[in-house]
Amino acid sequence: PLRVAALASGRGSNLAALFAAHLPVEYVLVGSDKAKAGALQVARDAGIPTVAMSPKDFPDRVAFDRALFGTVAAAKPDLLVLAGYMRIIDASVVADWEGRAINIHPSLLPKYQGLHTHRRCLEACDSEHGASVHFVTAELDGGPVVAQARIAVGPSDTEATLAERLLVEEHKLLPAVVRAIADGRLTWRGEPLFQGAPLSAPVDLN
Ligand code: GAR
């Protein structure tokens, strides 16, 4: 099966949704930059190995990223899922993962890269909001989008209601994309991703 590693900084609801989807994958490691992240407990509860490293213990960003991503690489994942991982990753480290790492971001990319996406959507008076899963590249939240989920924005919406409604959609979107990758239905720059996976119907989900 597809070997999947994940990195998360927060409560880990997307990670929990992934586990709950019972995908035909093997979770090899969950890592975090926060020792107290709920995501680590979610992983431990699921019996998945975890690692936490603090940026404070490293001289600079690239040293931290090399250590954390090197540990992830040692678990030999086919796919790395960023599920609420909230740190910018050094470009030299990202390069090692091109085409093998995906991120879930709470906006309809290319709109609202970075932080405070719900607030920015409200401030722009958008009639719809959404979440995107995209390939990770050196450009923050800028890699090719794989799939999106949309919600309507109403006059009474607040940052909190948008976040809450969008999360429900994120919890369907991320497992759907990982399932497509595990099934060999996703391609990267025209080439099938993950040569080991059965490629019954290769399609770009873009
Ligand atoms: C999710 O809404 C995810 O889209 C967002 O963080 C939240 C994590 O929630 N990710 C980003 O903002 C990435 N820049 P979770 O810890 O409950 O999965």
Side-chain angles (χ1 to χ4, degrees):
L2 189 79
R3 295 170 64 84
V4 177
L7 289 175
S9 306
R11 78 204 131 171
S13 73
N14 275 289
L15 200 62
L18 212 48
F19 296 161
H22 299 292
L23 304 178
V25 305
E26 182 184 347
Y27 296 101
V28 294
L29 186 67
V30 171
S32 185
D33 56 322
K34 302 227 185 298
K36 291 182 178 158
L40 290 174
Q41 192 57 48
V42 168
R44 285 192 288 264
D45 290 347
I48 292 153
T50 62
V51 60
M53 290 183 188
S54 171
K56 291 197 193 90
D57 295 332
F58 295 84
D60 54 24
R61 175 184 303 281
V62 67
F64 173 77
D65 287 352
R66 283 196 184 133
L68 181 59
F69 285 78
T71 302
V72 172
K76 301 205 178 306
D78 301 304
L79 173 70
L80 172 58
V81 178
L82 305 185
Y85 183 67
M86 298 305 286
R87 282 179 60 84
I88 291 172
I89 306 158
D90 186 84
S92 69
V93 174
V94 168
D96 292 338
W97 294 87
E98 209 187 59
R100 296 192 294 140
I102 57 173
N103 177 45
I104 184 158
H105 181 76
S107 79
L108 289 173
L109 290 172
K111 280 190 167 183
Y112 315 134
Q113 301 169 340
L115 296 176
H116 309 303
T117 58
H118 313 307
R119 186 189 312 167
R120 288 155 70 196
C121 169
L122 288 172
E123 282 168 0
C125 299
D126 291 348
S127 59
E128 63 173 7
H129 189 33
S132 306
V133 173
H134 65 93
F135 282 109
V136 177
T137 64
E139 188 193 343
L140 178 69
D141 301 326
V145 171
V146 177
Q148 293 182 316
R150 289 162 193 274
I151 60 171
V153 181
S156 59
D157 267 314
T158 64
E159 281 184 60
T161 63
L162 283 185
E164 187 184 337
R165 279 214 320 288
L166 191 55
L167 206 56
V168 176
E169 300 305 318
E170 291 187 44
H171 293 168
K172 294 182 254 182
L173 179 66
L174 186 59
V177 171
V178 176
R179 184 185 294 280
I181 292 172
D183 290 348
R185 284 183 285 122
L186 202 66
T187 56
W188 165 253
R189 292 183 178 160
E191 295 296 321
L193 267 182
F194 308 114
Q195 301 291 342
L199 293 169
S200 45
V203 291
D204 258 317
L205 288 191
N206 248 330

